[in-house]
Amino acid sequence: MGSSNILLIDSCSADFENVKNAFSEIGIKSTLYRAKNDTEAWSMLQGDNKISPIPKIVLIDINEEGINGIHLLNKMRIHPDLKSTLVFVITKTDNDLNKIAALNLNIAGYMYKPCEGENSKDFFSILNDYWNIIEFTREKR
């Protein structure tokens, strides 16, 4: 995957720092962006604050308060530049309705957030290995 962009959608600053630290420890070269909610995320994907190139991977906590993740996923799946984006739901809470809805929107995986520390490093190391062996579409700007 090299050094492409990754968007994390999570309202929790501590979780963002945890992911950022794990990326640094593992040596993930991708640029990590953060949106605190689905509105901010859409602006970064297709609005005034659009990230270029468009992130190939989106990590989202659809169960986090203030994030309408299913709505965002629906918008992404009908948008021609975003419909093939790899989306991983990474959450601390269990919500069967959201899990089913997300899986029906062709997410790449529904996983539970690791706790801080070594588990986080191992978790993102495994994801990074996966990201580096799959084929992505060409860069969209």
Side-chain angles (χ1 to χ4, degrees), residues 12 22 33 36 44 54 63 69 71 75 109 132 134 137:
C12 180
Y33 291 88
K36 296 177 186 169
M44 295 172 86
I54 295 171
N63 297 317
H71 175 71
K75 285 171 62 171
N132 283 304
I134 60 173
T137 58

Side-chain angles (χ1 to χ4, degrees), residues 8-94:
L8 172 67
I9 306 162
D10 196 316
S11 61
C12 180
S13 295
D15 287 343
F16 173 67
E17 289 301 319
N18 192 28
V19 173
K20 193 167 76 170
N21 290 338
F23 275 37
S24 177
E25 286 180 41
I26 297 163
I28 295 175
K29 303 280 188 252
S30 298
T31 302
L32 180 65
Y33 291 88
R34 176 185 176 212
K36 296 177 186 169
N37 57 51
D38 53 297
T39 303
E40 191 175 308
W42 187 254
S43 179
M44 295 172 86
L45 292 169
Q46 286 301 304
D48 295 337
N49 298 317
K50 186 175 177 181
I51 300 167
S52 182
I54 295 171
K56 295 180 183 214
I57 297 171
V58 171
L59 309 172
I60 183 172
D61 188 340
I62 61 172
N63 297 317
E64 190 96 11
E65 187 174 331
I67 297 176
N68 189 344
I70 299 302
H71 175 71
L72 177 63
L73 284 171
N74 272 308
K75 285 171 62 171
M76 289 177 68
R77 291 304 180 226
I78 61 173
H79 193 285
D81 292 339
L82 300 173
K83 64 183 176 183
S84 65
T85 303
L86 219 58
V87 178
F88 293 89
V89 173
I90 301 174
T91 185
K92 287 182 183 175
T93 59
D94 197 12

